[in-house]
């Protein structure tokens, strides 16, 4: 493994509170890493510290093994794609992409032109060089912002909720484009989002952040299936707290008959169901009064309100959560 970015006990304190509170993290070369957490948990502040737009109160940042303390943003081998893209409205797409190159590197006009062309081809914007940002679509502006950052060939690309300004359909499409782009360029991406589904689907590894601290770091699968805290479990998906066990709604099964040996089951009453396209969400109430939600395959099977059912699950699907506070 080859660490490109390391944070050691990174802290940013404001007069009234700590936005980032002692986070330590190592990101490997070529990795797609997501930092995910609710609004206000300190994601943007973390990115701004790495980019050099804020000074940490304490702690260190290392890029390719070197401390970056005291260096200006343009001297750091990172590049940021901002939430609002921050394209210059009066410059063309090509001029926007060339801007950082002209400032940062000593290149001839010919070399700059070649790199800009290459970056625009990478994000499928060839042919749109001469347009201004208001003459291209939202998805294209997003790609122009990516090209502008990638052209600098950073060691790490920092992305602050880059898909949040797009409509849901385009957002899903850009999600897969972003992933394949990252694979092609091989640069480490540090991607921040408050959208857990986006993080789960994109990241090789991810960290869940809560009130300035990292709750857990691991692969998407590890965090979803083995959350260490109640916060992580509930942030990444639904959780039923049934009979001392935590079970995700998609692991809950419903049947009229008593389930086979080995399954854990409880009697429940159906409170209602919602058709959600690819599955049916059924709300049930257990004898102890606790609500239990099941997401079951849409197979034409209906559960009527007031009906008595068995709620059951495979014991292997129970989440083992150490910290339940
Ligand atoms: P996120 O990006 O996860 O939504 P931010 O990093 O923007 O969160 O903010 C984290 C916390 O720090 C919030 O409580 C926010 O209000 C606070 N904060 C951010 N910038 C400043 C600042 N310049 N001065 C004081 N508080 C700030
Ligand atoms: Mg933010």
């Amino acid at each position: 493994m080859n660490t490109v970015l390391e944070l050691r006990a990174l802290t940013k304190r404001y007069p009234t509170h700590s936005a980032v509170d002692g986070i330590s993290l190592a990101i490997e070369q070529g990795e797609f890493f997501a930092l995910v957490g609710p609004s206000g948990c300190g994601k943007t502040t973390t990115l701004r510290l790495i980019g050099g737009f804020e000074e940490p109160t304490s702690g260190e940042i290392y890029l390719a093994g070197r401390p970056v303390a005291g260096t200006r943003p343009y001297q750091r081998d990172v590049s940021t794609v901002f939430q609002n893209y921050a394209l210059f409205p009066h410059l063309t797409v090509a001029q926007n992409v060339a801007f950082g190159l002209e400032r940062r590197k000593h290149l001839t006009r010919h070399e700059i032109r070649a790199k800009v062309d290459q970056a625009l081809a990478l994000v499928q914007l060839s042919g749109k060089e001469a347009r201004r940002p208001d003459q291209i679509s939202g998805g294209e502006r997003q790609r122009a912002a990516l090209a502008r950052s990638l052209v600098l060939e950073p060691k790490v690309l920092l992305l602050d909720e880059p898909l949040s300004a797009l409509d849901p359909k385009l957002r899903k499409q850009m999600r897969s484009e972003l992933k394949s782009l990252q694979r092609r360029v091989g640069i480490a991406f540090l991607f921040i989002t408050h959208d857990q589904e986006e993080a789960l689907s994109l990241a090789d590894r991810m960290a869940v952040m809560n009130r300035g601290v990292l709750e857990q770091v691991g692969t998407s699968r590890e965090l979803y299936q083995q959350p260490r805290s109640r916060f992580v479990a509930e942030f990444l998906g639904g959780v039923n707290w049934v009979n001392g066990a935590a079970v995700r709604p998609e692991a809950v099964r419903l049947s009229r008959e008593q389930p086979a040996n080995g399954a854990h089951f409880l009697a429940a009453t159906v409170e209602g169901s919602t058709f959600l396209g690819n599955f049916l969400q059924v709300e049930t109430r257990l004898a102890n009064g606790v609500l239990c939600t099941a997401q079951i395959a849409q197979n034409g099977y209906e559960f009527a309100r007031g009906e008595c059912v068995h709620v059951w699950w495979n014991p292997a699907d129970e989440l083992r959560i150490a910290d339940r506070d």
Side-chain angles (χ1 to χ4, degrees):
M1 282 293 199
N2 204 341
T3 301
V4 281
L5 173 66
E6 191 183 351
L7 311 180
R8 292 192 198 159
L10 190 64
T11 298
K12 180 66 180 179
R13 226 169 266 131
Y14 288 117
T16 54
H17 66 294
S18 295
V20 176
D21 197 359
I23 69 174
S24 296
L25 188 65
I27 293 174
E28 308 300 327
Q29 200 168 340
E31 186 169 41
F32 201 127
F33 194 97
L35 183 57
V36 63
S39 181
C41 72
K43 303 180 298 294
T44 295
T45 306
T46 304
L47 227 58
R48 291 176 58 79
L49 289 167
I50 299 167
F53 305 104
E54 298 275 359
E55 279 300 310
T57 309
S58 60
E60 287 114 51
I61 300 165
Y62 293 81
L63 263 170
R66 292 211 189 127
V68 299
T71 60
R72 313 281 304 147
Y74 62 86
Q75 295 170 319
R76 300 188 182 188
D77 247 350
V78 297
S79 175
T80 308
V81 177
F82 296 97
Q83 194 161 5
N84 57 5
Y85 314 149
L87 294 168
F88 296 111
H90 57 289
L91 298 185
T92 65
V93 167
Q95 287 165 341
N96 264 287
V97 176
F99 187 84
L101 270 185
E102 287 162 356
R103 224 165 127 234
R104 279 203 196 193
K105 317 226 164 165
H106 302 284
L107 298 170
T108 65
R109 281 180 63 179
H110 181 78
E111 286 165 329
I112 289 176
R113 179 73 203 265
K115 280 184 187 289
V116 168
D117 284 350
Q118 197 187 356
L120 288 175
L122 198 61
V123 298
Q124 287 140 39
L125 272 185
S126 304
K128 307 262 165 92
E129 302 62 9
R131 306 249 187 115
R132 283 197 321 267
D134 63 352
Q135 297 169 326
I136 54 177
S137 72
E140 286 168 342
R141 279 199 286 277
Q142 159 65 245
R143 290 196 206 136
L146 276 168
R148 190 178 56 171
S149 290
L150 286 170
V151 80
L152 300 172
E153 297 166 34
K155 291 218 161 57
V156 183
L157 186 66
L158 308 172
L159 304 107
D160 190 349
E161 312 231 8
L163 307 181
S164 64
L166 306 175
D167 63 66
K169 197 168 171 199
L170 192 56
R171 202 178 162 132
K172 283 229 162 123
Q173 183 193 327
M174 278 307 292
R175 198 193 277 181
S176 46
E177 281 186 25
L178 200 60
K179 181 95 175 179
S180 79
L181 180 65
Q182 192 269 339
R183 291 289 182 254
R184 268 180 287 143
V185 295
I187 292 173
F189 277 25
L190 174 53
F191 176 94
I192 70 176
T193 178
H194 64 273
D195 183 328
Q196 85 286 358
E197 191 189 301
E198 208 163 88
L200 287 167
S201 67
L202 279 170
D204 296 317
R205 282 193 311 143
M206 59 196 272
V208 174
M209 195 168 184
N210 180 23
R211 297 187 188 188
V213 303
L214 296 188
E215 290 257 335
Q216 194 173 351
V217 181
T219 64
S220 299
R221 205 172 281 273
E222 279 164 4
L223 265 60
Y224 191 82
Q225 295 178 342
Q226 298 152 40
R228 269 210 298 269
S229 67
R230 180 175 186 140
F231 181 85
V232 173
E234 292 184 341
F235 187 77
L236 296 182
V239 187
N240 292 301
W241 299 90
V242 288
N243 234 21
V247 189
R248 295 225 180 263
E250 65 272 22
V252 174
R253 306 276 176 272
L254 297 181
S255 61
R256 298 198 167 95
E257 306 76 37
Q258 188 166 310
N261 284 346
H264 286 181
F265 71 92
L266 296 164
T269 311
V270 174
E271 295 231 320
S273 65
T274 313
F275 174 71
L276 288 171
N278 47 350
F279 57 81
L280 192 68
Q281 180 158 309
V282 185
E283 305 290 345
T284 71
R285 188 156 315 260
L286 307 176
N288 62 5
V290 170
L291 261 185
C292 178
T293 303
Q295 281 175 2
I296 57 179
Q298 191 53 65
N299 56 6
Y301 209 68
E302 294 295 334
F303 288 94
R305 192 180 155 81
E307 187 175 340
C308 293
V309 290
H310 293 95
V311 160
W312 60 278
W313 61 90
N314 189 330
D317 287 333
E318 287 172 12
L319 302 176
R320 282 159 192 81
I321 299 170
D323 174 8
R324 289 174 173 241
D325 296 336

